[in-house]
Amino acid sequence: MKGAPCTNEEEHQLLAHFVLIQFDFLREGATDPPDAINRVRDCLAPDDTAKAPLVWSRVVQLARSSAGKAGQFDRIRLVRSISPVARLRGATSLRLNLDKLTELAKSYANLIPDDIGGTKLDRISLLESIDAKLATARAVQVRGLPGSGKSVVVRRAVQRALEHGPTLFLKAEQLEGTSWISYANSQGLSGAHLEQLLVEIGAAGTPVLFVDAIDRIDKEHQPIIVDVIHTIVESPLLDNWRVVVSLRDTGIEMLRNWLGEFLDTLNVETLSVGQLSDDEAESLAKAKPHLRSLLFGSAQVREIVRRPFFAKVLNQSYMVDSSSSTFAPQSEVGLIENWWRRGGYNETGQNALERQRALLDLASVRARQLSQPIALSQLTSVAHIDGLRSDGILQNAREGVSVRFAHDIFFEWAFFHVLADRGLQWVEVIKACGEPPAVARVVELTSQWEYAQEQTGQRTCPNGEFGS
């Protein structure tokens, strides 16, 4: 500002720089709508381009309803208002973020094993149940016993969502950082506001937050989930968002410790993932005849074998040694002992012993740093790492640098033997790793083993105490 009134000449020079654009949209016989519809079409997802006229009608409706009310629309409000009509391509400025989150969702989903020796059980009824529950609730907990296939259900739901565009999927052991901002930075996302990013995901893809193994998220990383759910709950622009999480039946109380405020706010439904039904067991038995006698055996055996993860382990044993079909586990502890005897797969003699020692080493390191991958430099030996990875027990976290257990149950089974290796001093091992909730089930398994040993007279605990 020059500090003095402008002259007529100065005002003329200023106004001469303005260009008057006349829009001819709303009157009868207007000529500009066809051009506007073509421009709208360029902003829609390829499968929804035919809906451009409907989107334009929605925009016109919004303009008319706001006339005389000083109505204002920024991109985030406009996107939210028209997204129920058609899916959008997503903001150009956020396209890299949307693509990155899509790739992360695909990668995380692919880390979840979903077959039994190549046979996949779709369990379509469970996906249909999720849809039905999300129609009336804002959150669904996919719950069940260890090995029942909860994560596979989430994987299927995520993969289905990815067919429609960007999807937000977070997985317990893949989290980095202590807030959404730090997680976003660790994954190479831009500093876009979380609310804006979620609106764009919902408009271009699926407005559902998927979280696998939410009950096993380390305390350090829990604020990442809190930030996202808090934003979903508090923002009126995200009222179409839903939440789907998987957790074990025993994990709900731990979850309430840090998400109780939101669980009480959201309308939460529970989907129980149980053992395979008779029809599902029959389908598996047709594909894997050697499992039929177990899948349709005694109730005690069925309780174990009809959990998909345990069926996978038993099938693996049979494929390398057909005589193992005579093994009928009466409990998970019995299954663990059979798995351990083979060095986690199909080894004997010295090789089995060496693999057992490698598994003990891996589990010991993992228990001390549950939120981090297992660095190869921390291991006593890496001689059997490649074999354990080939057998599906380990996965690369960073190739040549770190690994992780392919399934949390493999860690629990290996850590079970870390405790057994310490004999009556196993409680000290738990105390040494800080008594984290993630090892609670291992303590439970150890207690079951101790009890079974006492019942058979093979071993007793001092003072009759079994740990808890």
Side-chain angles (χ1 to χ4, degrees):
M1 304 296 290
K2 69 176 188 177
C6 293
T7 65
N8 291 339
E9 181 179 356
E10 289 171 333
E11 288 183 6
H12 174 76
Q13 290 177 347
L14 172 65
L15 295 175
H17 287 82
F18 285 82
V19 177
L20 181 62
I21 300 177
Q22 183 175 354
F23 294 101
D24 185 17
F25 288 132
L26 302 182
R27 71 176 180 84
E28 185 177 353
T31 58
D32 285 349
D35 180 60
I37 290 173
N38 285 333
R39 292 176 182 272
V40 167
R41 187 174 287 111
D42 293 337
C43 299
L44 301 182
D47 293 343
D48 277 9
T49 54
K51 296 180 179 179
L54 294 176
V55 173
W56 175 246
S57 295
R58 175 62 174 158
V59 172
V60 171
Q61 179 187 8
L62 290 171
R64 283 178 171 153
S65 63
S66 300
K69 301 178 182 178
Q72 297 182 15
F73 289 89
D74 53 12
R75 177 181 171 85
I76 189 171
R77 286 189 60 208
L78 186 59
V79 166
R80 177 66 188 94
S81 297
I82 65 178
S83 60
V85 179
R87 286 192 304 115
L88 307 181
R89 287 183 179 273
T92 301
S93 60
L94 294 176
R95 192 68 55 78
L96 291 179
N97 279 9
L98 298 180
D99 290 345
K100 180 65 177 178
L101 288 172
T102 298
E103 290 305 312
L104 286 173
K106 290 179 181 177
S107 174
Y108 294 165
N110 288 336
L111 288 174
I112 300 173
D114 67 338
D115 69 293
I116 300 173
T119 298
K120 296 187 178 183
L121 300 173
D122 290 329
R123 310 189 82 177
I124 295 298
S125 62
L126 293 174
L127 288 179
E128 292 173 346
S129 293
I130 289 180
D131 293 340
K133 291 178 182 298
L134 287 179
T136 58
R138 289 203 72 186
V140 173
Q141 304 174 63
V142 181
R143 289 168 53 179
L145 293 170
S148 60
K150 305 175 297 298
S151 293
V152 174
V153 173
V154 172
R155 170 179 172 153
R156 294 277 191 272
V158 169
Q159 289 175 323
R160 185 181 57 173
L162 285 168
E163 295 174 0
H164 301 288
T167 302
L168 182 57
F169 177 33
L170 302 176
K171 202 169 185 303
E173 63 270 23
Q174 304 294 332
L175 296 178
E176 298 180 46
T178 56
S179 67
W180 170 259
I181 292 176
S182 58
Y183 171 77
N185 288 337
S186 73
Q187 301 303 321
L189 302 177
S190 70
H193 192 277
L194 179 56
E195 180 188 45
Q196 179 186 8
L197 182 59
L198 293 177
V199 167
E200 293 290 339
I201 293 172
T206 302
V208 177
L209 166 65
F210 296 97
V211 184
D212 182 40
I214 192 170
D215 55 324
R216 297 199 305 279
I217 293 177
D218 187 73
K219 186 175 182 179
E220 175 188 3
H221 303 317
Q222 289 172 359
I224 299 171
I225 306 299
V226 171
D227 284 349
V228 180
I229 294 182
H230 178 267
T231 302
I232 289 173
V233 169
E234 296 297 324
S235 172
L237 294 174
L238 300 174
D239 59 355
N240 62 326
W241 269 77
R242 302 291 185 263
V243 180
V244 174
V245 304
S246 71
L247 69 160
R248 292 177 175 179
D249 286 333
T250 55
I252 186 61
E253 290 306 317
M254 289 184 288
L255 194 62
R256 285 194 173 280
N257 290 338
W258 58 282
L259 275 181
E261 173 188 353
F262 301 111
L263 293 177
D264 292 337
T265 301
L266 295 170
N267 179 15
V268 182
E269 289 276 0
T270 297
L271 172 64
S272 296
V273 180
Q275 63 182 29
L276 298 179
S277 66
D278 286 345
D279 288 343
E280 290 167 337
E282 177 62 30
S283 176
L284 179 58
K286 287 180 179 178
K288 308 292 179 185
H290 47 275
L291 294 179
R292 179 175 291 278
S293 62
L294 300 178
L295 290 166
F296 293 93
S298 68
Q300 195 168 8
V301 173
R302 289 201 308 270
E303 173 66 26
I304 296 298
V305 181
R306 288 197 181 188
R307 295 194 215 176
F309 180 81
F310 296 163
K312 179 184 179 76
V313 172
L314 286 165
N315 177 72
Q316 226 174 15
S317 297
Y318 177 87
M319 296 309 294
V320 295
D321 180 8
S322 59
S323 65
S324 64
S325 63
T326 60
F327 169 65
Q330 303 295 311
S331 67
E332 185 179 350
V333 171
L335 184 60
I336 295 173
E337 291 178 344
N338 185 65
W339 176 82
W340 184 255
R341 191 178 302 115
R342 298 169 175 271
Y345 189 48
N346 184 40
E347 296 293 344
T348 58
Q350 184 65 26
N351 283 340
L353 179 60
E354 290 178 2
R355 280 173 56 119
Q356 289 168 356
R357 304 315 297 180
L359 287 167
L360 291 175
D361 197 13
L362 287 158
S364 296
V365 173
R366 173 86 167 87
R368 293 195 298 269
Q369 47 182 44
L370 291 166
S371 62
Q372 300 294 327
I374 303 167
L376 298 181
S377 61
Q378 294 179 281
L379 300 175
T380 304
S381 170
V382 296
H384 292 278
I385 296 300
D386 190 59
L388 291 168
R389 188 170 52 234
S390 297
D391 293 340
I393 296 172
L394 298 178
Q395 293 174 340
N396 279 330
R398 185 177 176 189
E399 190 168 358
V401 177
S402 58
V403 294
R404 61 172 56 90
F405 283 95
H407 197 290
D408 53 287
I409 290 179
F410 283 138
F411 160 67
E412 291 167 345
W413 288 1
F415 193 64
F416 169 85
H417 281 88
V418 170
L419 301 187
D421 193 49
R422 289 296 302 271
L424 298 179
Q425 283 72 48
W426 64 266
V427 176
E428 300 304 318
V429 179
I430 298 297
K431 293 179 179 178
C433 66
E435 302 183 28
V439 302
R441 200 175 84 90
V442 186
V443 174
E444 178 186 341
L445 290 169
T446 302
S447 299
Q448 292 175 14
W449 181 82
E450 293 281 7
Y451 179 77
Q453 297 304 302
E454 183 186 63
Q455 293 297 101
T456 58
Q458 297 180 38
R459 177 177 177 181
T460 57
C461 289
N463 303 319
E465 296 174 356
F466 304 114
S468 58

